[in-house]
């Protein structure tokens, strides 16, 4: 199990920095019982991913995941304090490697206004489509694990 209290650390490596982030797998049930996952578009390239970002000083990864979901997608809900899994990625233009601790977040409400509404697209996807459309391979792997959960 990953440590949910992991700090956001920048560790210098010869090829850039290792950067810790927290992310939220936001999910909800449809009226017919189907499972939907929320994606947000990258500000750089529009590719689909999950709300994620850096933790603030002393902030638990679950709290950072909840904050990022609200800032990037206007989603509030119940966040699981246990890290569901993690994935790593690199941005197209930089040498840094980002390591994302992902928490499940059961969406209970979506705000009309939120900080990044004007700069990000958001969309709910049926789980099978989300697995197919996720930009990062590690994120696709985590999403495929959601299929086996009883949420």
């Amino acid at each position: 199990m990953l440590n949910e209290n992991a700090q956001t650390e920048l560790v210098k490596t010869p090829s850039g920095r290792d950067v810790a982030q927290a992310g939220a797998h936001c999910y909800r049930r449809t009226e017919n019982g189907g499972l939907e996952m929320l994606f947000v578009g990258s500000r750089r390239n529009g590719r689909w991913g999950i709300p994620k970002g850096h933790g603030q000083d002393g902030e638990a990864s679950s709290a950072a995941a909840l904050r990022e979901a609200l800032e990037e997608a206007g989603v509030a809900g119940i966040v699981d304090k246990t890290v569901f899994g993690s994935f790593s990625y690199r941005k197209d233009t930089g040498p840094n490697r980002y390591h994302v601790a992902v928490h499940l977040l059961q969406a209970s409400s979506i705000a009309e206004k939120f900080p990044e509404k004007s700069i990000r697209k958001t969309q709910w996807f049926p789980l099978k489509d989300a697995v197919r459309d996720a930009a990062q391979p590690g994120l696709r792997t985590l999403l495929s694990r959601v299929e086996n959960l009883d949420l």
Side-chain angles (χ1 to χ4, degrees):
M1 211 42 67
L2 296 172
N3 180 3
E4 104 73 34
N5 291 314
Q7 297 294 309
T8 302
E9 256 181 52
L10 296 178
V11 178
K12 184 73 172 146
T13 66
S15 60
R17 294 179 183 270
D18 283 337
V19 182
Q21 292 187 319
H25 262 325
C26 302
Y27 68 93
R28 68 180 182 188
R29 287 279 175 195
T30 63
E31 288 181 10
N32 66 359
L35 189 63
E36 290 184 324
M37 307 300 291
L38 177 74
F39 277 161
V40 296
S42 165
R43 291 182 297 181
R44 290 182 341 277
N45 56 32
R47 287 187 272 194
W48 291 118
I50 61 171
K52 63 185 176 307
H54 307 289
Q56 298 172 351
D57 286 342
E59 184 178 41
S61 64
S62 60
L66 182 61
R67 179 178 45 75
E68 291 294 335
L70 187 57
E71 290 175 0
E72 295 184 9
V75 172
I78 301 167
V79 66
D80 191 332
K81 291 188 183 211
T82 302
V83 175
F84 174 66
S86 64
F87 69 97
S88 298
Y89 71 99
R90 291 184 189 273
K91 294 183 180 179
D92 298 334
T93 58
N96 296 337
R97 184 165 181 80
Y98 297 85
H99 303 279
V100 185
V102 179
H103 294 265
L104 295 173
L105 191 159
Q106 182 179 7
S108 58
S109 66
I110 302 170
E112 289 289 321
K113 296 179 182 178
F114 51 93
E116 297 187 18
K117 184 178 178 91
S118 65
I119 57 174
R120 288 198 191 268
K121 59 185 179 179
T122 60
Q123 186 173 332
W124 290 93
F125 287 84
L127 179 57
K128 289 193 184 304
D129 294 348
V131 172
R132 180 195 68 216
D133 292 344
Q136 293 95 3
L139 180 55
R140 285 193 294 275
T141 300
L142 283 181
L143 283 164
S144 67
R145 285 182 44 210
V146 172
E147 290 178 309
N148 300 322
L149 298 178
D150 184 26
L151 300 176

